Amino acid sequence: MRRPARRPRHPGIPRTRMVLRDLAAESVAGILQRPARTALTVLGTLLGVGAFVAILGLTATARGQISSDFTVLAATQVTVKDVGAPDPAQQTGAATRYDFPDDADQRAERLGGAVHAGTYWQVFKTPPAVSTRSGPATGAAAGSQGAEGLTVYAASPGLLQAVGPTLSSGTLYNTFHDSRRMHVAVIGSAVARRLGISNLAAQPAVFVNGTPYTVVGILQNVERLPNLLLSVMIPGRTARADYGDPAPDYAATMLIQTRVGAARLIAQQAPLALRPDRPDHLQAVPPPAPHALQDSVTGSLDSLFLLLAGITLVIGTVGIANTTLVSVLERTGEIGLRRSLGARPRHIAAQFLTESAVLGTLGGLLGTAVSIVVTLSVALAHNWTAILDPWTTLPAPLIGTLTGLLAGAYPALRAARIEPAEALRR
Amino acid sequence: MPVQEARGEATVTAAPTGTPAVIDLVAAARTYPGPPPVHALRPTDLTVRRAEYIAVVGPSGSGKSTLLNVIGLVDRPTGGHYRLDGIDTGRLPEADRTALRGHRIGLVFQAFHLLPYRTATENVMLAQVYLGTPRARRRTEAVDALLAVGLGHRLDALPSAMSGGERQRVAIARALVNRPSLLLCDEPTGNLDSGSAGRVMNTLDALNDSGITLVVITHDPAVAARARRIITIRDGQLAEDSGQPSVGSPA
C-alpha cells in the first residue's frame, strides 16, 4: 500500500485492495449472471436516453426543414416602409404620403447584393368595382363578368420581378409603361378566372371603377406576396397619376429581393440610398435572425418533449435502482463471502456502483444508437436532411452512465453496510 | 508464517510451549447490549497453537457463532483481548481487521457460498482478488489449492455439477489459497450426507497433518471426534473436554 497511514496499523499486514481490472471483471461478471434481467433493466435507460436523443434529433431535423423553407424567402427579403416624417407635428394634415423617389427601383437595385426591388401599395380604401365591361358595374353585371372583393395594387415594375413571378401568359409591364403612365395591368390567375380572361391575344381590358386597363400578363404564381394573385396590378406612376399618392393607412412599401446573406446589410443601407435627404422617412425591416426564427417555431415543442424524455429517464433510473437493490438483497451471501475474503465496504460499494453504471452506460449507448436510427428513418421517410447535433448526440451515452451511478448509489450503500456475520449465517 | 509482535501494549507471552500461538484469547468476552444484555461469550481464555486441530462443540444458542465471529475477526469482543498471530486485534482499525481476515484466516461455511456461475477454479480465484495477488499467479495457485483438497479432476466444473462434498472442498480450497495461519470452519459438514461429510473430514485431517491450524465449530460429535482437542461451549462458557489446563474462565 502506498497510501500513508493515518492511524496506527500493523506493519506486517498490507491492507486489502481491489485493482481496477478486478473491479471491472467482477462487475461485468455480476451483470452477465442474469442476462434477462440485465436486458430488462437496460431497457429503461435505453428508452430514456433514446427518447432524449430522438426528440432532440427529430426537432433539430424538423426545425432544419422549416428554416430551409423559410430562409430562402425570408432571409433574402427586405421591406422598406414609408413611415413619413418621424415628427408627428409635420405629419398632421397630410392626406397622402409618398416618400419614395421616382427612381426608387433603380436606386435599390444598385445596392450590392440586391436583385430586384419595387414599391407597392393598395390603391383603394374600399374594394373597387372591377369588371371586363365599361360603365358602372351593377350588382347583376358583377355576377357574371365582374368580381367583388378584388384588390387593386399599384406596383412598380421592379416589384413584379421581386416577388418571383411565374407568368401563365403575357408579359410583365416594364419601366416603359410605368414612365409613360400607361393604362396597363397584370392580373393574378385567380382574378383572370373570375373575370373570364384566358386569352390575351385580343388585348382584353379590365375596368377599375370604369377606367380601362389593358391586361398584358397573367400571373400564375408568385413566391412572395401571394395576395397579388387575387389582385389587379397597375404601374405605380400610372396609379399616382390617376389616383394620387397613397393614403397614410395604405402607405407604400418597398420589397427588395436580395442575394443570400445580403439582406441585413441592405436593410441598413436602403433608407439612405433611397432618400439621402430624408432617410428617417423610411424604415427598413430586415429578415428575422435565423436563430430567433427557429427558436420561436420549435422552442415550446422542444421543452415539452424534453420533459417527457426526462420523465422516461427518471423511470429508467428507478428501474436500475430497483434491480440493483434486489440484486444486493439477493446476493447478501455473496457480499458476506467477499467481506470474509478481505473485501472492505468500499470495495463492495464500488462493485455494485460499477455494475449499475455499466448497466446505465449500456442503456445509454443502445438508446443513442436506436434514436439515431429512428431520426434517420423519419428523415428519410419525409425526404428531410437528418440533423443530429454532435454536442447532444455524442455525450448522450454519458447520460446513461450518470443515470446508472445515481441509481446505484443507494443500493451500493446498502451493500456496503451488510455485515459479514449476518450474511454468512444464510 | 512469521509471528508478528503486538505493538505498544504489554505483550502477554504466548504459552510456554515452543510452538507459537495462532489464537490467543485473553478474557475475551462478547456482550450484546440489552436490555437485558446478553452475555453471548463470557470472559474466556483460549490459546490455539500452530498446527493444532480443535473442535468447538455445543448446542445451538451456546455461543458457538459468537466465538466464531470473534475468532474470525467478523465481530469485536466487548472485553478482553484477542491476539491473532501475536497481533492485538482489538485496537486495529476496521480496514486492518479486514486485511488480517483476508490474509490470515480462511473461513469455511456450512452453506459453501460458492458463486454459482463460476467454475471451481474461478471460485477459488475470487479469494485472491482482494489481496491483490498478481493475475498471472492466481490460476496456478488456485489449481494448487484444489489439488491439495483432492479436486484436481474438477477444476472447470460448475458448482451445480458438483456434489455437496466437492463443493465444500472447493470452499476449503478457496479458504486455503491465500495460505492463512488458521482455517476456521463453521459446521463444514452441516449440509452434507455422511459419505460426503466423511470425505470432507478426511480432507481436513490431511490438511492438519500438513501443518494447517484448524478450528472446527460443530454440533456433530462425529466431526468433533476427529479433532485433537475438543472444547465444549455452553451458555457462553468454554470447557476443555480433555481436561488440559489451557482453557478456562478466569476465576
Side-chain angles (χ1 to χ4, degrees):
Chain A
M1 281 267 154
R2 290 165 294 273
R3 195 185 322 154
R6 277 161 294 180
R7 283 186 287 178
R9 301 176 32 209
H10 199 278
I13 307 294
R15 284 203 174 160
T16 48
R17 57 198 158 131
M18 194 171 193
V19 297
L20 216 57
R21 192 170 158 193
D22 282 325
L23 178 62
E26 293 298 321
S27 305
V28 169
I31 289 169
L32 294 182
Q33 269 178 23
R34 298 188 173 275
R37 182 192 289 180
T38 300
L40 286 174
T41 313
V42 163
L43 200 62
T45 337
L46 189 156
L47 290 176
V49 174
F52 193 70
V53 176
I55 285 159
L56 286 178
L58 286 174
T59 47
T61 302
R63 177 195 299 170
Q65 310 319 310
I66 292 168
S67 53
S68 74
D69 289 346
F70 268 58
T71 44
V72 174
L73 299 174
T76 57
Q77 171 177 322
V78 175
T79 45
V80 183
K81 287 178 180 160
D82 180 359
V83 293
D87 186 356
Q90 295 176 22
Q91 278 184 11
T92 48
T96 60
R97 180 201 302 163
Y98 191 77
D99 284 311
F100 289 99
D102 283 349
D103 58 345
D105 293 12
Q106 289 73 30
R107 281 174 183 251
E109 284 169 9
R110 273 201 298 271
L111 291 170
V115 182
H116 294 294
T119 53
Y120 69 98
W121 66 91
Q122 192 178 325
V123 177
F124 300 102
K125 284 183 185 176
T126 51
V130 177
S131 74
T132 51
R133 285 184 188 167
S134 62
T138 61
S144 59
Q145 286 175 306
E148 292 189 351
L150 294 179
T151 326
V152 175
Y153 275 104
S156 68
L159 181 97
L160 291 185
Q161 299 197 307
V163 295
T166 316
L167 283 165
S168 61
S169 61
T171 61
L172 301 175
Y173 52 76
N174 54 35
T175 45
F176 178 81
H177 301 105
D178 189 47
S179 60
R180 268 148 229 273
R181 297 162 177 84
M182 293 174 75
H183 281 198
V184 289
V186 169
I187 58 176
S189 55
V191 177
R193 264 198 306 280
R194 284 172 69 175
L195 294 176
I197 298 173
S198 57
N199 188 359
L200 296 183
Q203 296 194 318
V206 289
F207 291 83
V208 177
N209 286 347
T211 310
Y213 294 87
T214 308
V215 178
V216 295
I218 299 174
L219 286 178
Q220 184 173 12
N221 203 359
V222 290
E223 290 175 1
R224 298 185 170 89
L225 302 180
N227 51 347
L228 291 188
L229 295 175
L230 285 166
S231 311
V232 174
M233 286 139 279
I234 59 175
R237 285 196 220 178
T238 309
R240 288 174 69 194
D242 288 359
Y243 308 106
D245 287 346
D249 290 348
Y250 299 100
T253 302
M254 171 173 264
L255 180 77
I256 310 176
Q257 180 200 351
T258 74
R259 287 190 227 292
V260 174
R264 297 184 76 79
L265 182 63
I266 285 177
Q268 288 176 11
Q269 297 168 338
L272 198 62
L274 291 166
R275 283 299 296 267
D277 55 335
R278 292 198 178 281
D280 53 349
H281 284 210
L282 301 176
Q283 187 185 50
V285 181
H291 289 297
L293 176 74
Q294 293 165 3
D295 293 352
S296 67
V297 170
T298 51
S300 53
L301 211 62
D302 259 9
S303 50
L304 184 69
F305 278 128
L306 282 181
L307 186 70
L308 283 175
I311 292 172
T312 319
L313 211 55
V314 167
I315 295 171
T317 311
V318 172
I320 293 190
N322 185 41
T323 316
T324 313
L325 192 59
V326 167
S327 165
V328 164
L329 298 179
E330 213 176 54
R331 287 158 68 187
T332 304
E334 178 192 327
I335 293 166
L337 170 78
R338 288 175 184 274
R339 297 276 282 118
S340 83
L341 293 175
R344 294 167 64 187
R346 64 179 62 171
H347 298 149
I348 301 293
Q351 181 184 338
F352 281 93
L353 211 55
T354 310
E355 281 187 24
S356 62
V358 169
L359 283 179
T361 310
L362 215 59
L365 279 171
L366 290 173
T368 307
V370 167
S371 62
I372 288 174
V373 170
V374 166
T375 308
L376 288 178
S377 314
V378 170
L380 277 177
H382 288 81
N383 268 328
W384 289 348
T385 311
I387 297 175
L388 286 160
D389 182 7
W391 287 108
T392 55
T393 309
L394 292 181
L398 287 180
I399 301 175
T401 313
L402 285 178
T403 307
L405 282 175
L406 198 71
Y410 174 66
L413 217 63
R414 280 283 297 266
R417 282 209 212 105
I418 289 178
E419 289 290 329
E422 59 163 310
L424 296 173
R425 280 288 133 197
R426 310 201 167 193
Chain B
M1 197 64 67
V3 173
Q4 306 288 344
E5 286 297 318
R7 303 178 328 125
E9 292 285 302
T11 314
V12 174
T13 36
T17 16
T19 32
V22 176
I23 297 172
D24 192 13
L25 293 179
V26 180
R30 181 67 169 97
T31 305
Y32 292 102
V38 178
H39 300 285
L41 188 65
R42 295 182 185 278
T44 299
D45 290 346
L46 173 65
T47 305
V48 177
R49 292 174 198 292
R50 184 104 62 92
E52 270 199 290
Y53 186 171
I54 291 187
V56 178
V57 291
S60 57
S62 59
K64 282 191 314 236
S65 297
T66 306
L67 183 64
L68 170 95
N69 289 344
V70 167
I71 293 178
L73 292 173
V74 169
D75 201 359
R76 280 175 197 263
T78 47
H81 294 282
Y82 169 33
R83 292 192 181 78
L84 178 69
D85 283 341
I87 302 168
D88 190 346
T89 61
R91 292 165 50 88
L92 288 180
E94 200 52 47
D96 285 333
R97 286 168 58 87
T98 303
L100 205 55
R101 181 165 69 231
H103 283 277
R104 300 287 171 88
I105 300 174
L107 280 162
V108 175
F109 315 100
Q110 177 174 359
F112 319 141
H113 287 305
L114 298 184
L115 299 190
Y117 298 93
R118 304 195 189 188
T119 65
T121 314
E122 287 167 348
N123 263 294
V124 174
M125 285 162 70
L126 183 65
Q128 299 164 304
V129 165
Y130 299 100
L131 302 196
T133 310
R135 296 183 76 88
R137 268 169 41 200
R138 287 187 194 170
R139 186 164 290 272
T140 46
E141 287 184 8
V143 169
D144 286 348
L146 284 167
L147 288 173
V149 296
L151 282 178
H153 60 296
R154 301 297 266 156
L155 295 179
D156 294 323
L158 287 174
S160 53
M162 287 188 277
S163 73
E166 285 174 334
R167 290 183 209 179
Q168 189 60 297
R169 277 144 72 199
V170 172
I172 292 171
R174 181 180 62 198
L176 284 175
V177 72
N178 293 323
R179 305 177 186 285
S181 314
L182 170 69
L183 197 58
L184 188 55
C185 306
D186 181 22
E187 300 281 9
T189 59
N191 282 1
L192 301 178
D193 61 81
S194 58
S196 298
R199 279 188 288 280
V200 168
M201 294 317 297
N202 291 342
T203 304
L204 290 179
D205 285 352
L207 290 173
N208 179 241
D209 288 342
S210 66
I212 305 256
T213 312
L214 269 178
V215 173
V216 178
I217 292 182
T218 183
H219 69 277
D220 184 351
V223 172
R226 301 281 196 116
R228 314 268 162 83
R229 268 172 81 190
I230 299 173
I231 291 162
T232 309
I233 185 167
R234 193 176 295 275
D235 298 331
Q237 297 272 14
L238 265 62
E240 185 110 17
D241 282 10
S242 55
Q244 286 179 2
S246 57
V247 160
S249 302

